Amino acid sequence: MAKQTTVLELDLNNDGDFADANEDISAYVRGQIPYSRGRDYASQLSGRSIGGRLSCRLKNDDGRFNSLLTTSPLYPNVKPGRRVRLRATAPTAATIWQGFLDRILPVPSLDRNHEAELTAVG
């Protein structure tokens, strides 16, 4: 059985295509990418819809995911509301999860292995 290959993308310039430079952030992902799927219609029991969630840790040694760092190659585009997409490329191509960036919080480290925590809803 073939191993699933995934790609995590962040639509930094908000143009809807995920095809621009720096929008594939898969190389920065550390560990697994846990996600849950939501429901876009209200429950008949509670009358509420439930949003899906995705979170992961990103390598941030150069500070690229710090929204206020003007020397970051992503500045000033790390903002809440940007589209996030997780998709499989192998063994078959499919979108697994999509939503919107809630926040990216830098997680400093004493050993210089800085990370950022990405949280998205959708």
Side-chain angles (χ1 to χ4, degrees):
M1 187 164 158
K3 183 180 175 189
Q4 183 178 22
T5 305
T6 57
V7 176
L8 182 63
E9 299 165 312
L10 177 60
D11 187 16
L12 291 164
N13 61 358
N14 210 25
D15 64 357
D17 69 1
F18 300 102
D20 302 304
N22 298 316
E23 290 188 338
D24 179 355
I25 59 172
S26 305
Y28 299 97
V29 173
R30 288 191 172 162
Q32 300 292 319
I33 305 174
Y35 65 91
S36 64
R37 294 186 181 173
R39 182 174 57 222
D40 61 356
Y41 55 89
S43 164
Q44 292 180 351
L45 296 175
S46 68
R48 299 181 193 159
S49 62
I50 300 169
R53 296 194 63 80
L54 178 141
S55 63
C56 68
R57 289 279 179 135
L58 302 170
K59 180 180 174 182
N60 196 32
D61 294 337
D62 61 357
R64 76 177 43 240
F65 296 106
N66 296 5
S67 62
L68 301 177
L69 185 63
T70 57
T71 58
S72 166
L74 308 181
Y75 182 82
N77 296 319
V78 179
K79 298 177 182 177
R82 302 294 192 196
R83 290 187 175 276
V84 177
R85 178 171 70 178
L86 178 65
R87 62 186 178 90
T89 57
T92 58
T95 298
I96 299 170
W97 190 94
Q98 61 184 358
F100 297 93
L101 180 65
D102 183 32
R103 64 180 173 255
I104 295 182
L105 295 175
V107 180
S109 171
L110 294 175
D111 62 358
R112 300 238 184 250
N113 289 323
H114 302 298
E115 295 181 338
E117 179 74 33
L118 180 145
T119 305
V121 294

